[in-house]
Amino acid sequence: MNAIQPAVSEIAAPLHQAFDLQRQAYLAAPVPNYSERKQDLQRLKSMLSDNREAIIDAICQDYGNRSRHESLFAEIIAVTDAINDVIKHLKKWMRVQKRHVDHTMFPGGRNRVIPQPLGVVGIIVPWNFPVNLSFVPIAQAFAAGNRAMVKMSENSRALSALLRELTAKYFAEDKLQFFDETGGVGIEFSKIPFDLLVFTGSGQTGKSVMAAAAQNLTPVVLELGGKAPAVIDPDYPIEKAVGRIMFIKQFNAGQICTNVDYVFVHSSQREAFVNEAKRYVAKHCPDINHQDYTSIIDDRSMQRLQATLEDARSKGATVINLNDQDANIEARKLPLHLVLDTTPEMTIRQRETFGPLLMVLEYDSPSEVVDYVNAHDRPLAFYPFTKKRELADMYIERVMSGGVTVNDALFHLAQHDLPFGGVGGSGMGHYHGYEGFITFSKLRPVYYQPGFSPMEWLRPPYGNFATRFYNLLLKLKG
C-alpha cells in the first residue's frame, strides 16, 4: 500500500496546485465585470479560430482518421457560433433581477437576485467531440465569471498537448488550464473540491465521478448518453426519415452520445427501411476507406463493436452490412450495419452502441414504443418522425428524455437557446444557453431592509399590538 501512495500524490499534486492558484485568484477578484468576461470569451474564440487547422489535425491524429468536414462543423463552426451567442446575450444574463416583495409584511423592502460566479469549476471531457465538449462549457463558465480546469481524455493526447501549449498564449494559469489523462488523473481530478464539476461520458464512470465529488459536496452536471430511440410513423415519408437518421448514424462513425441508438419501424415498413438504408449508404458513404469516413477511436472500441455484432449474429439476429465491405482493422474503419430480429439477451439490446450499428425494432402501435422506452433508462434524446402534431405531442408527453428533435435527430443540440442535459440514467443538470449561465452561477437572493421595519414592534414580550397585528395578517392571508 505504501508503495502506491507516492504515485497517487505525484498525480494529485499539480492538480491541487492549479486549483489553489485559481482559488486564490477567485478570492482576490471574485466577480469579473462584463468587459472582463466578454474579453475572456473573445480570447477563447480567438484561441479556436487562430489555430483551427492545427486543432483539426490534432483531432484527426487522435482518431487515426477523423473527417475534416465533421471536425470543421462540429468542433469549429458549432463552437464558434455558441461562443458568439453567449457574447450576444451576456449583458442581459448578468443583469440583477428584481423580485416581488410582500409589502403587507415588509413595507419598503426590496428583493433582488444577483447572478454571481461560483468560483473554480472542473470539466471532464470525452474524446468524441473534445473541442465542443470542452470549449462550450468553458464559455458558459467564463460567461458566469468563473475560472476553469479541464481534464481531457486519454484518447485525445495529441489535442491535449496542443491545447496545453496554446492556452498559455491566451490565458493566465489562474484562469484556464488543460490537463492530460496519463493514468489516474481523472480519479484525482474528481476529488478536487471544485465549486462545480461537469462530466460527459459513460454512466458507470459518471457514478464514480459523482461519488468522488460527493465527498466534497461538489455539485455535478452529468451528461451520460444511453440508448436514444427514434420512431417512424408509417405516414411519414420513409425515404426522408431514413436519410436523416442515416446521416446522423454515419456522422463521426456513430460515436455520438445523442446518436440514434435504435429505431422503431412499423412492421409494414421493415423491408422499405432496409432498402432505403442501403440506397443512402451506396450514395453517400459507399467506401469506408475514404477520408470522409471517420475511424473508430481505438482498438478496444473496435473490438467491442465487432463483438457486439458477433453476439447478435450468434444469437439469431439478422445482421446487414450496408457497405458490403470488410472492416478495415488496421485503420479501425467499421462498415455501417443494421441489426434486426434482436432479443433481450443480446448485448446490443443492453448497452449503448456508440458506433455505426443501428438496431431496428418493429412495432404496430405507438403504445408499444412508449412501453418499451419507458421500461428502460431514460434516454438522453428521443426522435419521433411524424406529420401528426398530436402524435408527436403524445410521444413527448409520455416518453421522458433529456431532449427531443422532431422529424430529425441530434439538431436540438445545435439550438443555442435550448438547454442541453440528461435525465435519470442519462444524466442531470443543464448547460447551453441561459440555463448554462444559470448552472455556472449562484443566483444570490438578497433582501434590502429599509430604515423603518414594523418587525421592531413585534418583539417579545408579545402584547396586544402583536396579537391584533397577527390576527389582521391571518385575515388578510386567509
Side-chain angles (χ1 to χ4, degrees):
M1 185 70 177
N2 292 336
I4 298 175
Q5 290 303 316
V8 173
S9 300
E10 191 175 319
I11 293 170
L15 297 174
H16 284 276
Q17 183 179 3
F19 175 77
D20 291 341
L21 178 68
Q22 293 200 358
R23 167 64 68 181
Q24 291 305 313
Y26 160 72
L27 292 173
V31 186
N33 60 34
Y34 168 74
S35 296
E36 291 170 320
R37 300 186 198 193
K38 183 178 178 180
Q39 187 178 57
D40 286 335
L41 290 164
Q42 290 172 330
R43 195 176 288 124
L44 186 68
K45 178 182 170 183
S46 295
M47 179 175 161
L48 184 63
S49 302
D50 297 348
N51 303 282
R52 179 182 65 225
E53 294 305 320
I55 288 171
I56 290 174
D57 288 346
I59 296 172
C60 188
Q61 182 180 334
D62 286 326
Y63 267 82
N65 178 69
R66 215 291 184 88
S67 166
R68 183 181 186 278
H69 289 83
E70 292 177 357
S71 290
L72 194 61
F73 175 70
E75 310 279 19
I76 307 298
I77 296 172
V79 175
T80 301
D81 198 36
I83 296 173
N84 287 339
D85 187 75
V86 172
I87 293 172
K88 178 181 177 181
H89 294 97
L90 179 58
K91 186 172 288 188
K92 178 181 178 181
W93 293 347
M94 289 179 63
R95 288 176 187 161
V96 174
Q97 304 170 21
K98 295 181 180 180
R99 295 295 178 93
H100 172 74
V101 178
D102 184 347
H103 290 292
T104 62
M105 296 185 65
F106 304 100
R110 294 185 298 122
N111 281 336
R112 298 291 184 268
V113 172
I114 304 173
Q116 291 186 321
L118 291 172
V120 182
V121 302
I123 303 168
I124 300 178
V125 185
W127 51 263
N128 59 330
F129 291 99
V131 171
N132 192 308
L133 296 174
S134 57
F135 276 57
V136 172
I138 291 170
Q140 299 282 341
F142 284 178
N146 299 289
R147 299 162 189 275
M149 293 171 56
V150 185
K151 202 284 293 185
M152 301 298 287
S153 167
E154 67 274 14
N155 285 323
S156 299
R157 301 299 295 276
L159 177 65
S160 180
L162 175 64
L163 292 178
R164 293 200 315 278
E165 176 188 338
L166 293 176
T167 303
K169 300 177 183 179
Y170 291 83
F171 294 98
E173 289 186 339
D174 63 11
K175 186 67 182 184
L176 176 65
Q177 287 195 53
F178 283 85
F179 296 88
D180 196 6
E181 177 56 82
T182 54
V185 176
I187 297 170
E188 297 302 323
F189 194 90
S190 303
K191 296 177 182 178
I192 295 175
F194 291 113
D195 298 292
L196 177 69
L197 183 59
V198 180
F199 168 82
T200 305
S202 71
Q204 193 59 43
T205 305
K207 291 177 183 179
S208 299
V209 168
M210 189 173 183
Q215 300 307 307
N216 297 308
L217 295 180
T218 297
V220 296
V221 174
L222 302 178
E223 306 299 348
L224 306 178
K227 298 184 74 63
V231 55
I232 306 172
D233 179 52
D235 290 339
Y236 192 87
I238 190 70
E239 180 182 1
K240 181 181 290 187
V242 171
R244 293 178 177 182
I245 289 171
M246 294 307 299
F247 169 68
I248 298 303
K249 196 63 192 177
Q250 57 88 41
F251 197 93
N252 207 44
Q255 299 166 113
I256 308 174
C257 59
T258 48
N259 211 325
V260 180
D261 193 273
Y262 61 101
V263 57
F264 278 98
V265 176
H266 195 269
S267 56
S268 65
Q269 294 185 316
R270 170 188 166 117
E271 186 176 351
F273 183 92
V274 172
N275 290 336
E276 288 298 336
K278 289 179 178 178
R279 273 194 281 271
Y280 178 90
V281 171
K283 180 178 180 180
H284 295 285
C285 40
D287 183 10
I288 64 172
N289 296 305
H290 194 279
Q291 62 182 4
D292 283 343
Y293 195 84
T294 295
S295 295
I296 303 302
I297 188 64
D298 58 19
D299 292 335
R300 183 176 60 181
S301 297
M302 187 75 172
Q303 292 162 8
R304 173 183 59 79
L305 289 164
Q306 289 180 299
T308 298
L309 285 174
E310 184 53 38
D311 172 81
R313 190 181 288 113
S314 67
K315 293 174 181 175
T318 301
V319 177
I320 301 173
N321 183 335
L322 295 173
N323 290 94
D324 288 327
Q325 291 176 287
D326 292 332
N328 184 332
I329 304 301
E330 183 178 354
R332 297 193 304 277
K333 297 290 191 83
L334 186 66
L336 286 152
H337 285 76
L338 298 182
V339 184
L340 301 91
D341 305 315
T342 59
T343 53
E345 68 272 11
M346 295 178 185
T347 302
I348 197 167
R349 281 277 194 106
Q350 301 165 8
R351 295 176 53 184
E352 181 179 7
T353 304
F354 220 72
L357 317 181
L358 179 61
M359 181 171 66
V360 181
L361 300 179
E362 297 176 46
Y363 78 103
D364 291 305
S365 69
S367 61
E368 294 176 55
V369 176
V370 172
D371 292 344
Y372 181 90
V373 179
N374 286 340
H376 298 80
D377 282 345
R378 289 172 165 176
L380 185 56
F382 179 48
Y383 305 121
F385 287 77
T386 178
K387 289 184 175 182
K388 303 168 187 170
R389 176 66 179 270
E390 62 277 8
L391 181 60
D393 289 345
M394 185 280 290
Y395 280 130
I396 292 169
E397 289 173 3
R398 293 189 58 190
V399 176
M400 176 55 69
S401 68
V404 181
T405 293
V406 178
N407 295 333
D408 214 321
L410 189 67
F411 293 124
H412 62 284
L413 272 72
Q415 312 309 310
H416 301 309
D417 201 27
L418 290 180
F420 170 66
V423 59
S426 57
M428 64 182 68
H430 293 95
Y431 66 98
H432 288 199
Y434 178 65
E435 284 76 11
F437 176 82
I438 295 301
T439 291
F440 285 93
S441 300
K442 165 60 182 173
L443 295 186
R444 197 90 176 274
V446 180
Y447 172 69
Y448 297 87
Q449 184 75 287
F452 163 76
S453 171
M455 291 298 168
E456 296 171 8
W457 297 348
L458 300 174
R459 298 168 182 167
Y462 302 110
N464 288 332
F465 176 80
T467 300
R468 290 196 301 270
F469 185 77
Y470 286 141
N471 286 337
L472 176 61
L473 286 178
L474 285 171
K475 185 175 180 181
L476 291 173
K477 302 301 180 183

